[in-house]
């Protein structure tokens, strides 16, 4: 497990947001384990996945590739990065307003699960 502190949170958040804003799929997914899973209410709301959870990096990658859809200039504005127990939360602002994504890290320092929350 990596040492999770404020510095680690910033080092993770800034490049993740930059990769997302550049729509660089490989860079976005480079932090994730192969069995990475992502949970978001958007998945259920849009009919992509009724459970709200995608399992496996390939499935998440396919979603991220389509995600901009009606918002081709979709970008997140980093507000804060916060550290938790085994996790980092990124608070940002995008087309839905404020959101918080919690990223949980495995022992190999790769993200095993992410949870999206919207205000």
């Amino acid at each position: 497990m990596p040492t999770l502190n404020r510095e680690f949170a910033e080092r993770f958040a800034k490049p993740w947001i930059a990769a997302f804003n550049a729509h660089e799929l490989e860079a976005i997914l480079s932090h994730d384990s192969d069995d990475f899973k992502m949970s978001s209410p958007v998945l259920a709301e849009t009919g992509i996945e009724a459970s709200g959870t995608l399992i496996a990096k390939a499935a998440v990658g396919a979603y991220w590739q389509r995600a901009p859809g009606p918002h081709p200039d979709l970008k997140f504005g980093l507000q804060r990065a916060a550290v938790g127990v085994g996790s980092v939360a990124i608070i940002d602002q995008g087309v839905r307003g404020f959101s918080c994504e919690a990223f949980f890290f495995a022992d190999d320092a790769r993200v095993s699960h992410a949870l999206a929350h919207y205000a």
Side-chain angles (χ1 to χ4, degrees), residues 7 11 17 21 33-34 40-42 44 59 67-68 71 75 79-80 89 91-92 114 117-118:
E7 182 181 327
R11 279 195 330 264
I17 292 283
N21 288 346
S33 62
D34 291 337
S40 171
V42 173
H71 308 284
K75 298 208 183 302
Q79 303 296 307
R80 293 271 177 156
I91 302 153
D92 58 58
H117 304 77
Y118 298 92

Side-chain angles (χ1 to χ4, degrees), residues 32-52:
D32 305 331
S33 62
D34 291 337
D35 60 350
F36 170 70
K37 63 182 177 176
M38 181 185 81
S39 299
S40 171
V42 173
L43 295 168
E45 290 169 10
T46 58
I48 292 170
E49 173 53 51
S51 71

Side-chain angles (χ1 to χ4, degrees), residues 14-88:
K14 288 178 181 178
W16 191 91
I17 292 283
F20 188 89
N21 288 346
H23 303 280
E24 294 176 356
L25 186 59
E26 286 187 38
I28 295 168
L29 296 173
S30 68
H31 306 280
D32 305 331
S33 62
D34 291 337
D35 60 350
F36 170 70
K37 63 182 177 176
M38 181 185 81
S39 299
S40 171
V42 173
L43 295 168
E45 290 169 10
T46 58
I48 292 170
E49 173 53 51
S51 71
T53 299
L54 292 174
I55 299 172
K57 187 190 273 190
V60 174
Y63 167 70
W64 280 126
Q65 198 164 26
R66 295 186 320 260
H71 308 284
D73 295 326
L74 180 62
K75 298 208 183 302
F76 291 145
L78 179 62
Q79 303 296 307
R80 293 271 177 156
V83 66
V85 176
S87 64
V88 166

